[in-house]
Amino acid sequence: MTAQNEQHGPAPVDAEYSATVLASHWIQRPGADETLVEPAAEERSTPPDRVEGTVLRFGPGVTATIAHRTHRMPAAAPPPAPRRRRLRRHALPVLVVFCVLALLAWQRLGQPLRVGAIAVTARPTALGCDGTARIVALVTTNGRPGTLSYRWVRSDGTTSGVLEEVMVRGQKRARLHLRWTFQGPGQHTALAELRILSANQRTASTRFTYACP
């Protein structure tokens, strides 16, 4: 017996031997009263939520409200107002400011020289022999700079040439002078008239008498 055992020796090891395969014979099979639950069936019993990209959420932990919120797309931002509408909205205030500034600039810089009241007086009002009358015209203006052009016209038929008075900014009064001399015997009622030729044309005059026996 011993010799026979030594003759045969240990059984050769199979090259395709697998412990896993052999162990599978010793796994206890479920009995007839045991129910084998298939994993796929358990997974199918809980339907997945909505798909967001490549993520799937399972189970009762995700409520319908959350699922709806995750699915809802963000509200689109309102489109920007057209460029033309924005320009139209700002055009009126800019125009008002521009008009006010233009009016102020015109009042300070652009308004031309204008003549107001004129008062002409003669001193003395009654001349004796070989006397000279001093005639003064007080001209008021609006204070704008410019040049007053004027001439004197006398009742004896003589007229001065065109004279000029330069007005500086802020000067609102100008005194214009005329000297009229009489000689020889006689009596005469004289009239001296001032005529403003530039700015707004105005005239003013005064009278005096000459008496020489």
Side-chain angles (χ1 to χ4, degrees), residues 149-165:
S149 299
Y150 64 97
R151 66 160 40 105
W152 289 102
V153 178
R154 300 188 303 193
S155 58
D156 61 356
T158 60
T159 303
S160 70
V162 177
L163 306 174
E164 291 183 345
E165 179 74 11

mmCIF file of all heavy atoms in Angstrom, residues 149-165:
data_model
loop_
_atom_site.group_PDB
_atom_site.id
_atom_site.type_symbol
_atom_site.label_atom_id
_atom_site.label_comp_id
_atom_site.label_asym_id
_atom_site.label_seq_id
_atom_site.Cartn_x
_atom_site.Cartn_y
_atom_site.Cartn_z
ATOM 1 N N SER A 149 -20.891 156.909 -32.788
ATOM 2 C CA SER A 149 -20.686 157.848 -33.910
ATOM 3 C C SER A 149 -21.822 158.862 -33.883
ATOM 4 O O SER A 149 -23.000 158.485 -33.770
ATOM 5 C CB SER A 149 -20.679 157.099 -35.249
ATOM 6 O OG SER A 149 -19.618 156.163 -35.289
ATOM 7 N N TYR A 150 -21.460 160.124 -34.011
ATOM 8 C CA TYR A 150 -22.479 161.168 -33.889
ATOM 9 C C TYR A 150 -22.022 162.411 -34.665
ATOM 10 O O TYR A 150 -20.870 162.534 -35.087
ATOM 11 C CB TYR A 150 -22.729 161.525 -32.424
ATOM 12 C CG TYR A 150 -21.532 162.122 -31.739
ATOM 13 C CD1 TYR A 150 -21.398 163.511 -31.621
ATOM 14 C CD2 TYR A 150 -20.522 161.322 -31.210
ATOM 15 C CE1 TYR A 150 -20.293 164.086 -31.008
ATOM 16 C CE2 TYR A 150 -19.417 161.879 -30.592
ATOM 17 C CZ TYR A 150 -19.304 163.260 -30.489
ATOM 18 O OH TYR A 150 -18.201 163.830 -29.895
ATOM 19 N N ARG A 151 -22.940 163.365 -34.795
ATOM 20 C CA ARG A 151 -22.617 164.677 -35.365
ATOM 21 C C ARG A 151 -23.554 165.724 -34.770
ATOM 22 O O ARG A 151 -24.670 165.407 -34.339
ATOM 23 C CB ARG A 151 -22.717 164.670 -36.889
ATOM 24 C CG ARG A 151 -24.101 164.450 -37.425
ATOM 25 C CD ARG A 151 -24.242 164.926 -38.895
ATOM 26 N NE ARG A 151 -23.118 164.623 -39.725
ATOM 27 C CZ ARG A 151 -23.077 163.658 -40.661
ATOM 28 N NH1 ARG A 151 -24.155 162.887 -40.837
ATOM 29 N NH2 ARG A 151 -22.023 163.487 -41.403
ATOM 30 N N TRP A 152 -23.052 166.978 -34.795
ATOM 31 C CA TRP A 152 -23.839 168.120 -34.342
ATOM 32 C C TRP A 152 -24.388 168.866 -35.563
ATOM 33 O O TRP A 152 -23.696 169.092 -36.546
ATOM 34 C CB TRP A 152 -22.983 169.094 -33.529
ATOM 35 C CG TRP A 152 -22.592 168.571 -32.167
ATOM 36 C CD1 TRP A 152 -21.396 168.063 -31.817
ATOM 37 C CD2 TRP A 152 -23.403 168.574 -31.007
ATOM 38 N NE1 TRP A 152 -21.385 167.717 -30.497
ATOM 39 C CE2 TRP A 152 -22.625 168.026 -29.960
ATOM 40 C CE3 TRP A 152 -24.717 168.965 -30.730
ATOM 41 C CZ2 TRP A 152 -23.099 167.875 -28.666
ATOM 42 C CZ3 TRP A 152 -25.194 168.814 -29.430
ATOM 43 C CH2 TRP A 152 -24.401 168.274 -28.420
ATOM 44 N N VAL A 153 -25.636 169.261 -35.449
ATOM 45 C CA VAL A 153 -26.290 170.048 -36.504
ATOM 46 C C VAL A 153 -26.773 171.355 -35.869
ATOM 47 O O VAL A 153 -27.520 171.340 -34.888
ATOM 48 C CB VAL A 153 -27.467 169.272 -37.130
ATOM 49 C CG1 VAL A 153 -28.152 170.138 -38.190
ATOM 50 C CG2 VAL A 153 -26.997 167.968 -37.721
ATOM 51 N N ARG A 154 -26.363 172.508 -36.466
ATOM 52 C CA ARG A 154 -26.722 173.820 -35.916
ATOM 53 C C ARG A 154 -27.783 174.494 -36.802
ATOM 54 O O ARG A 154 -27.879 174.230 -37.996
ATOM 55 C CB ARG A 154 -25.483 174.704 -35.812
ATOM 56 C CG ARG A 154 -24.434 174.084 -34.903
ATOM 57 C CD ARG A 154 -23.292 175.046 -34.632
ATOM 58 N NE ARG A 154 -22.640 175.529 -35.838
ATOM 59 C CZ ARG A 154 -21.481 176.176 -35.835
ATOM 60 N NH1 ARG A 154 -20.856 176.428 -34.689
ATOM 61 N NH2 ARG A 154 -20.940 176.598 -36.960
ATOM 62 N N SER A 155 -28.528 175.381 -36.176
ATOM 63 C CA SER A 155 -29.624 176.053 -36.892
ATOM 64 C C SER A 155 -29.128 177.090 -37.886
ATOM 65 O O SER A 155 -29.912 177.579 -38.715
ATOM 66 C CB SER A 155 -30.577 176.727 -35.889
ATOM 67 O OG SER A 155 -29.864 177.664 -35.072
ATOM 68 N N ASP A 156 -27.881 177.470 -37.869
ATOM 69 C CA ASP A 156 -27.355 178.421 -38.862
ATOM 70 C C ASP A 156 -26.968 177.728 -40.155
ATOM 71 O O ASP A 156 -26.394 178.333 -41.057
ATOM 72 C CB ASP A 156 -26.168 179.187 -38.270
ATOM 73 C CG ASP A 156 -25.018 178.262 -37.892
ATOM 74 O OD1 ASP A 156 -25.173 177.005 -38.023
ATOM 75 O OD2 ASP A 156 -23.961 178.749 -37.454
ATOM 76 N N GLY A 157 -27.230 176.389 -40.265
ATOM 77 C CA GLY A 157 -26.972 175.661 -41.486
ATOM 78 C C GLY A 157 -25.647 174.923 -41.521
ATOM 79 O O GLY A 157 -25.318 174.308 -42.544
ATOM 80 N N THR A 158 -24.889 174.945 -40.465
ATOM 81 C CA THR A 158 -23.611 174.237 -40.441
ATOM 82 C C THR A 158 -23.767 172.891 -39.728
ATOM 83 O O THR A 158 -24.570 172.742 -38.803
ATOM 84 C CB THR A 158 -22.541 175.080 -39.707
ATOM 85 O OG1 THR A 158 -22.962 175.322 -38.371
ATOM 86 C CG2 THR A 158 -22.302 176.401 -40.430
ATOM 87 N N THR A 159 -22.964 171.959 -40.218
ATOM 88 C CA THR A 159 -22.991 170.602 -39.648
ATOM 89 C C THR A 159 -21.565 170.129 -39.434
ATOM 90 O O THR A 159 -20.701 170.321 -40.308
ATOM 91 C CB THR A 159 -23.723 169.616 -40.589
ATOM 92 O OG1 THR A 159 -25.049 170.097 -40.828
ATOM 93 C CG2 THR A 159 -23.774 168.229 -39.977
ATOM 94 N N SER A 160 -21.335 169.531 -38.289
ATOM 95 C CA SER A 160 -20.004 168.998 -38.004
ATOM 96 C C SER A 160 -19.789 167.716 -38.800
ATOM 97 O O SER A 160 -20.735 167.097 -39.319
ATOM 98 C CB SER A 160 -19.853 168.710 -36.503
ATOM 99 O OG SER A 160 -20.655 167.604 -36.132
ATOM 100 N N GLY A 161 -18.546 167.298 -38.866
ATOM 101 C CA GLY A 161 -18.281 166.004 -39.463
ATOM 102 C C GLY A 161 -18.688 164.881 -38.493
ATOM 103 O O GLY A 161 -19.180 165.120 -37.386
ATOM 104 N N VAL A 162 -18.483 163.637 -38.933
ATOM 105 C CA VAL A 162 -18.813 162.491 -38.065
ATOM 106 C C VAL A 162 -17.756 162.397 -36.971
ATOM 107 O O VAL A 162 -16.555 162.282 -37.244
ATOM 108 C CB VAL A 162 -18.886 161.180 -38.873
ATOM 109 C CG1 VAL A 162 -19.147 160.005 -37.938
ATOM 110 C CG2 VAL A 162 -19.973 161.286 -39.933
ATOM 111 N N LEU A 163 -18.210 162.439 -35.749
ATOM 112 C CA LEU A 163 -17.343 162.343 -34.575
ATOM 113 C C LEU A 163 -17.551 160.987 -33.900
ATOM 114 O O LEU A 163 -18.605 160.341 -34.089
ATOM 115 C CB LEU A 163 -17.647 163.487 -33.603
ATOM 116 C CG LEU A 163 -17.588 164.895 -34.208
ATOM 117 C CD1 LEU A 163 -18.050 165.934 -33.193
ATOM 118 C CD2 LEU A 163 -16.184 165.215 -34.704
ATOM 119 N N GLU A 164 -16.577 160.579 -33.110
ATOM 120 C CA GLU A 164 -16.653 159.271 -32.449
ATOM 121 C C GLU A 164 -16.266 159.387 -30.984
ATOM 122 O O GLU A 164 -15.384 160.171 -30.615
ATOM 123 C CB GLU A 164 -15.728 158.260 -33.144
ATOM 124 C CG GLU A 164 -16.182 157.872 -34.537
ATOM 125 C CD GLU A 164 -15.292 156.813 -35.151
ATOM 126 O OE1 GLU A 164 -14.172 156.605 -34.609
ATOM 127 O OE2 GLU A 164 -15.692 156.214 -36.173
ATOM 128 N N GLU A 165 -16.938 158.589 -30.170
ATOM 129 C CA GLU A 165 -16.632 158.458 -28.742
ATOM 130 C C GLU A 165 -16.518 156.972 -28.414
ATOM 131 O O GLU A 165 -17.470 156.205 -28.614
ATOM 132 C CB GLU A 165 -17.747 159.097 -27.905
ATOM 133 C CG GLU A 165 -17.550 159.009 -26.416
ATOM 134 C CD GLU A 165 -16.477 159.970 -25.908
ATOM 135 O OE1 GLU A 165 -16.045 160.848 -26.701
ATOM 136 O OE2 GLU A 165 -16.089 159.867 -24.747
#
